[in-house]
Amino acid sequence: MTPYVKPNIHGGDSVDFTDMQAVKMLNKALLLHQYGISHWDIPDGYVCPPIPARADYIHYMADILCRNNYGKIPTGSRIKCLDIGVGASCIYPIIGNQEYGWSFIGSDIDPVAIESANRIIGFNPTLQGKIECKVQINAKDYFYGIIRKDELTDLSICNPPFYASAREAEGGTGKQIDQNTDKNAEPILNVEGQNHELWCDGGEEKFVRNMVLQSKKFASNCFCFSTLVSKESNLKSIYHVLEQAEAFGVETIPMGQGNKVSRIVVWTFLTPEEQSKWKNIRWKVMK
Ligand SMILES: C[S@@+](CC[C@H](N)C(=O)[O-])C[C@H]1O[C@@H](n2cnc3c(N)ncnc32)[C@H](O)[C@@H]1O
């Protein structure tokens, strides 16, 4: 048996999901097999993303664009996606680019994460020129400092930090969170204290509320904004702020992988007429 596989409770063999190296090897294999990514790695201690869950978000967003494009998913590098908090793994841009040819801007407040994402892009010629990753120097900003006032992006996505403090995040350090008791949390695998990527002041609720408020300032820059919301109880206050911001077409898409339950919240500030104009100008050739 390989060092990354161990017997499971059903009497079969399974990848040892409590071992960060085992999950990394599984990701490397999936990224190579499914997306043709031959070089992928993340610095020790950074969260190793579950690929199917990340792919789900991208596919749901493709469905949203499809619904707005005469039933056809707009593809190719003309479609630009902003990934707020791209992380060391660069996972959403990899999947979105390889599945749909979309181009990406990835932002992160962590320079080590951006360095790692740029290293992945540098090692894979297929990603070069398609994904641009930038450091967000102000943790309170999401769009400012990353996209220009006259820049258009067709969608924005975000997997926000979940916890409200380092201490809360450290509750899971070194072990897999009990998915029966905490269906919202991302499993933390042997993260060796490196978990600031999982927390921010005020946690997911404050992060998303502030993002919604700031998105209004970029109302005409983006066809549709979106974010994951892991904690269902945060939805009420997020809907409230979306209403305050006078967002249109707010939609919540339930997602679930294994025991983890989550959802995508999507919004826009464009009127149906403005949306029509947008897709006819930017996506016209893809009808
Ligand atoms: C939960 S991780 C998501 C990483 C990756 N996208 C994934 O899904 O695996 C959240 C990321 O958001 C970053 N972050 C926190 N505040 C940010 C901000 N204001 N702008 C951009 N990124 C931010 C963190 O450094 C962290 O890498």
Side-chain angles (χ1 to χ4, degrees):
M1 197 178 296
T2 78
Y4 303 126
V5 173
K6 66 175 191 185
N8 64 23
I9 52 165
H10 307 292
D13 293 334
S14 167
V15 170
D16 180 1
F17 285 98
T18 59
D19 177 357
M20 165 87 162
Q21 289 308 321
V23 180
K24 244 192 199 183
M25 291 311 277
L26 176 64
N27 277 8
K28 280 175 192 261
L30 286 174
L31 286 166
L32 177 63
H33 184 68
Q34 294 291 332
Y35 304 107
I37 298 301
S38 51
H39 293 86
W40 180 88
D41 205 354
I42 50 171
D44 282 348
Y46 279 75
V47 169
C48 210
I51 310 274
R54 300 302 190 266
D56 247 15
Y57 188 2
I58 293 291
H59 292 309
Y60 276 118
M61 293 313 290
D63 284 350
I64 298 241
L65 297 192
C66 176
R67 271 201 336 240
N68 283 288
N69 191 44
Y70 315 98
K72 190 160 184 240
I73 298 172
T75 54
S77 56
R78 275 167 56 113
I79 302 301
K80 198 188 273 186
C81 178
L82 168 65
D83 179 9
I84 299 168
V86 63
S89 65
C90 199
I91 193 64
Y92 288 123
I94 291 175
I95 298 174
N97 177 262
Q98 294 302 295
E99 283 282 357
Y100 301 113
W102 298 343
S103 58
F104 277 81
I105 301 172
S107 71
D108 209 292
I109 54 167
D110 178 353
V112 176
I114 293 295
E115 202 184 307
S116 164
N118 280 331
R119 198 176 313 119
I120 294 168
I121 298 162
F123 275 129
N124 292 281
T126 170
L127 303 176
Q128 285 164 22
K130 316 281 174 44
I131 305 167
E132 187 190 0
C133 292
K134 306 183 199 179
V135 176
Q136 169 58 269
I137 53 171
N138 187 346
K140 292 202 166 87
D141 281 337
Y142 307 90
F143 304 94
Y144 286 115
I146 298 299
I147 59 169
R148 296 184 312 271
K149 253 316 203 179
D150 61 348
E151 194 168 8
L152 300 181
T153 61
D154 298 280
L155 60 161
S156 79
I157 61 173
C158 179
N159 176 10
F162 178 77
Y163 298 100
S165 68
R167 204 156 162 247
E168 205 183 301
E170 268 154 21
T173 301
K175 64 181 170 67
Q176 189 159 12
I177 284 179
D178 182 353
Q179 293 286 295
N180 294 319
T181 55
D182 193 345
K183 288 187 167 37
N184 301 311
E186 188 97 274
I188 303 175
L189 304 170
N190 298 333
V191 295
E192 296 153 6
Q194 171 68 60
N195 51 22
H196 63 263
E197 53 183 331
L198 296 179
W199 73 272
C200 64
D201 179 33
E204 179 182 74
E205 183 194 355
K206 191 168 167 194
F207 191 96
V208 174
R209 284 175 60 90
N210 288 341
M211 188 196 306
V212 168
L213 291 174
Q214 205 171 97
S215 69
K216 173 131 186 157
K217 306 265 186 212
F218 289 80
S220 52
N221 293 76
C222 185
F223 184 84
C224 77
F225 298 91
S226 76
T227 182
L228 286 184
V229 176
S230 291
K231 216 178 202 170
E232 192 173 14
S233 58
N234 288 339
L235 283 176
K236 197 173 166 199
S237 97
I238 291 167
Y239 291 153
H240 183 67
V241 81
L242 281 163
E243 203 180 311
Q244 269 182 342
E246 298 173 323
F248 287 110
V250 175
E251 193 179 341
T252 304
I253 302 163
M255 282 207 316
Q257 301 86 23
N259 284 335
K260 186 168 155 59
V261 178
S262 186
R263 66 226 23 96
I264 306 168
V265 175
V266 185
W267 68 99
T268 185
F269 293 100
L270 302 182
T271 62
E273 294 72 33
E274 287 167 332
Q275 288 179 33
S276 220
K277 204 169 146 200
W278 180 295
K279 67 194 176 205
N280 284 329
I281 292 173
R282 279 182 68 83
W283 309 346
K284 202 167 157 194
V285 290
M286 300 164 207
K287 256 194 244 178

